[in-house]
Amino acid sequence: MKKAQNSEEKFMDISHILNHLGEDREQYFNAVAPPVVQSSNFALPSIAAFREAFSDELHHHVYTRGNNPTVEILRAKVAALEGCEDALVFSSGSAAVAAAVLSQVAAGDHIVCVRSPYSWTHILMTRFLPRFGVSHTFVDGTDMAEIEAAIQTNTRLLYLESPNSLTYELQDLEACARLARAHGIVTCIDNSHASPIFQNPAAMDIDMVVHSGTKYLNGHSDVVCGVVCSTKERIRKIFEAELMTLGAIPSPHDAALIIRGLRTLELRMQRSHDSALRIAEWLEQHPKVERVLHPWLPSFPQHELAKKQMRGAGGLFSIYLKAERIEEVEVFCNRLNRFLMAVSWGGYESLMLPMAGFYKIPGKGTPSRPWNLIRFYIGLEDPDWLIEDLRQALAG
Ligand SMILES: *Cc1c(COP(=O)(O)O)cnc(C)c1O
């Protein structure tokens, strides 16, 4: 039986988590699918019950900005998937990242953050937090010495993203957790790329795990949401401050959609992983492809570390196209018929994200990534059908 993390007793069977955990079917007519409790408000039967509910809003049903029965099922599942005590769900991944980061810092504090995190995490660090007196240092996360050298006496948080979702640099999570603990610093990781199926940072002593649930957790390209997983104590603090004041909560309906998405999470991850690796291997052999970046390819610089701390790599990889001019990239991308050109990922449909698209935008500067870099996300289609499309587009 597969466990969410095979080495630790506290991790449960993934099948149990995805299909049953957190669901109390006797409470709702033994319905197999949980109800969408689309109610903002909950009535309390007595003053005694009222007092009890207000003593712990996180675990009672008082008001949906705090706790909603449908969202509560989802919280239990994602916490268990990450092997964490508790979790909160937000209306977007960015809201989850912001809540996790804000919960750990105050004016005068400093954050060590991996260079080139997700774009809006970058803006959180560079534009938003400085307004409140919180500074940061970006570091090359592949270099432990650089991380250590960036730590200051006022550093409170080490923010990680491993792998990142464009060029897939990893951090050694056990080493980062050890270093941070030695300095009394909290660690937080954006684990969206690996998903809880393929990587559980809490088992490597990382303190907080965030996800854009928009990606793999939901998996059907129809909900934007985020999660934060951590200890009961830390989650309670985030609940009472960032979640309740900023109020970036998901709707009960969206929570039900994500619960539905989770039923197939393990299947989808394995399918995407297998297909993406196959297609990446095919592209690596192609004369018109300069280089393929995929953590599961032996050619990947941190391949050994990936194998050590992850169980799979999901559906993302990137290629550098062999091209003299940006127009060649444009021709290749425009010839692809079976990949949608779009941001995001983690759904059923395969996607491409050409960096060339970020060039020549009026009023925007030159992007930091080269124009021949193209990210692919491989969804649930037949990989041979996708390879056929790549073959004809590369022939053009
Ligand atoms: C998409 C994404 C986010 C932001 O999530 P949203 O749900 O779009 O707000 C954060 N981190 C990573 C790695 C992402 O891919």
Side-chain angles (χ1 to χ4, degrees):
M1 267 186 293
K2 282 200 186 167
K3 308 270 181 195
Q5 163 75 35
N6 37 33
S7 64
E8 296 238 348
E9 275 307 308
K10 66 184 173 186
F11 285 87
M12 286 178 249
D13 301 327
I14 291 180
S15 295
H16 172 69
I17 297 170
L18 298 182
N19 298 314
H20 304 293
L21 181 81
E23 298 172 71
D24 187 358
R25 296 185 168 107
E26 284 180 15
Q27 293 231 30
Y28 34 84
F29 316 106
N30 290 310
V32 171
V36 180
V37 183
Q38 192 76 37
S39 182
S40 59
N41 213 356
F42 298 86
L44 294 154
S46 67
I47 294 266
F50 187 99
R51 288 185 183 132
E52 193 192 320
F54 273 92
S55 73
D56 182 10
E57 274 191 77
L58 180 56
H59 296 104
H60 288 84
H61 302 127
V62 174
Y63 188 54
T64 279
R65 175 153 45 76
N67 191 26
N68 170 279
T70 311
V71 177
E72 204 171 18
I73 294 171
L74 177 57
R75 283 179 43 211
K77 287 183 190 295
V78 290
L81 280 172
E82 283 295 8
C84 290
E85 289 173 3
D86 206 351
L88 290 172
V89 186
F90 293 82
S91 55
S92 73
S94 291
V97 169
V101 171
L102 286 169
S103 74
Q104 298 305 312
V105 292
D109 289 345
H110 174 256
I111 301 170
V112 174
C113 179
V114 287
R115 190 168 297 140
S116 321
Y118 178 72
S119 50
W120 293 97
T121 306
H122 190 273
I123 288 169
L124 175 73
M125 300 289 166
T126 56
R127 290 196 220 154
F128 187 95
L129 289 172
R131 284 169 42 203
F132 303 95
V134 177
S135 59
H136 65 276
T137 304
F138 286 131
V139 291
D140 176 354
T142 67
D143 183 350
M144 284 308 301
E146 191 173 328
I147 296 176
E148 184 161 16
I151 294 173
Q152 307 176 1
T153 50
N154 59 342
T155 303
R156 294 283 169 269
L157 180 68
L158 174 58
Y159 187 90
L160 310 169
E161 212 179 279
S162 181
N164 100 0
S165 54
L166 194 55
T167 42
Y168 318 107
E169 290 87 357
L170 273 63
Q171 295 95 58
D172 183 331
L173 299 187
E174 279 173 343
C176 285
R178 243 190 334 264
L179 175 70
R181 295 222 163 160
H183 288 82
I185 297 168
V186 171
T187 45
C188 179
I189 185 171
D190 183 332
N191 198 33
S192 305
H193 174 282
S195 90
I197 299 297
F198 288 148
Q199 179 168 270
N200 296 122
M204 293 174 264
D205 279 345
I206 300 294
D207 298 312
M208 310 172 83
V209 183
V210 300
H211 284 276
S212 168
T214 313
K215 313 292 164 51
Y216 289 126
L217 298 184
N218 176 54
H220 292 75
S221 306
D222 51 10
V223 176
V224 175
C225 84
V227 304
V228 179
C229 307
S230 192
T231 58
K232 275 195 191 319
E233 191 190 337
R234 228 177 253 118
I235 289 296
R236 173 175 292 285
K237 282 177 71 180
I238 298 174
F239 172 78
E240 286 169 358
E242 289 76 20
L243 185 122
M244 286 300 265
T245 59
L246 301 175
I249 56 150
S251 74
H253 185 254
D254 283 353
L257 285 174
I258 300 156
I259 293 167
R260 181 164 78 169
L262 286 181
R263 307 291 195 203
T264 56
L265 179 67
E266 194 181 12
L267 279 174
R268 290 186 284 105
M269 291 310 299
Q270 201 56 55
R271 169 78 170 181
S272 274
H273 170 90
D274 292 344
S275 300
L277 188 55
R278 201 152 141 234
I279 294 170
E281 282 165 350
W282 183 84
L283 283 165
E284 202 171 37
Q285 303 307 316
H286 199 285
K288 286 196 180 163
V289 177
E290 192 177 292
R291 196 168 162 214
V292 181
L293 296 175
H294 185 311
W296 239 244
L297 288 176
S299 59
F300 187 74
Q302 293 177 293
H303 179 62
E304 289 309 316
L305 179 60
K307 288 243 161 156
K308 179 176 153 242
Q309 60 190 23
M310 299 164 69
R311 298 183 289 279
L316 289 174
F317 65 83
S318 300
I319 68 169
Y320 291 97
L321 199 68
K322 216 174 258 172
E324 304 277 309
R325 295 175 303 120
I326 193 168
E327 289 76 15
E328 293 169 53
V329 178
E330 291 171 21
V331 169
F332 167 65
C333 291
N334 289 337
R335 280 177 67 98
L336 285 170
N337 298 315
R338 296 173 182 177
F339 292 83
L340 304 179
M341 194 184 296
V343 298
S344 198
W345 41 272
Y348 47 85
E349 75 293 4
S350 291
L351 307 172
M352 61 167 141
L353 181 67
M355 290 307 112
F358 294 108
Y359 282 71
K360 302 186 187 178
I361 301 178
K364 293 248 171 147
T366 307
S368 56
R369 309 284 186 167
W371 49 256
N372 66 336
L373 180 67
I374 305 164
R375 183 181 76 185
F376 285 94
Y377 166 70
I378 305 302
L380 307 179
E381 305 94 329
D382 178 351
D384 289 323
W385 184 74
L386 295 170
I387 286 174
E388 253 177 59
D389 195 31
L390 289 163
R391 192 196 310 274
Q392 68 76 25
L394 284 165

